[in-house]
Amino acid sequence: TGSISELAGANLSNAALAFADMRGVNFEGTNFLGADLACANLFGANLRGAILRNADLRGANLTGADLTGADLRGAKGLG
């Protein structure tokens, strides 16, 4: 099985990605509007400028992730 490391600019709105292992993936500018990312592993991921509006990030591992310029309005689990 191959690994995915480049999804910059992809449209993943409303995607079901709970518990997914996405360590170090380049998601720059990716649209995650309303996506389920609960308990996903985003360690070291590039989320610069990503749209994470209304996404479920409860329990997600964002350690070392770059969220510069990301739209996090309404995202769950960032409290």
Side-chain angles (χ1 to χ4, degrees):
T1 61
S3 64
I4 297 172
S5 61
E6 179 71 41
L7 285 169
N11 182 0
L12 298 174
S13 59
N14 298 307
L17 297 167
F19 296 95
D21 184 5
M22 299 179 283
R23 289 173 288 178
V25 175
N26 180 9
F27 289 115
E28 186 167 356
T30 295
N31 181 359
F32 287 104
L33 178 68
D36 181 0
L37 296 162
C39 299
N41 188 356
L42 292 159
F43 180 90
N46 177 5
L47 294 162
R48 292 176 68 91
I51 300 167
L52 292 154
R53 194 179 322 162
N54 300 322
D56 186 351
L57 294 165
R58 290 176 289 192
N61 181 1
L62 295 167
T63 304
D66 185 351
L67 292 160
T68 305
D71 183 350
L72 297 164
R73 289 176 287 177
K76 299 174 196 76
L78 296 175

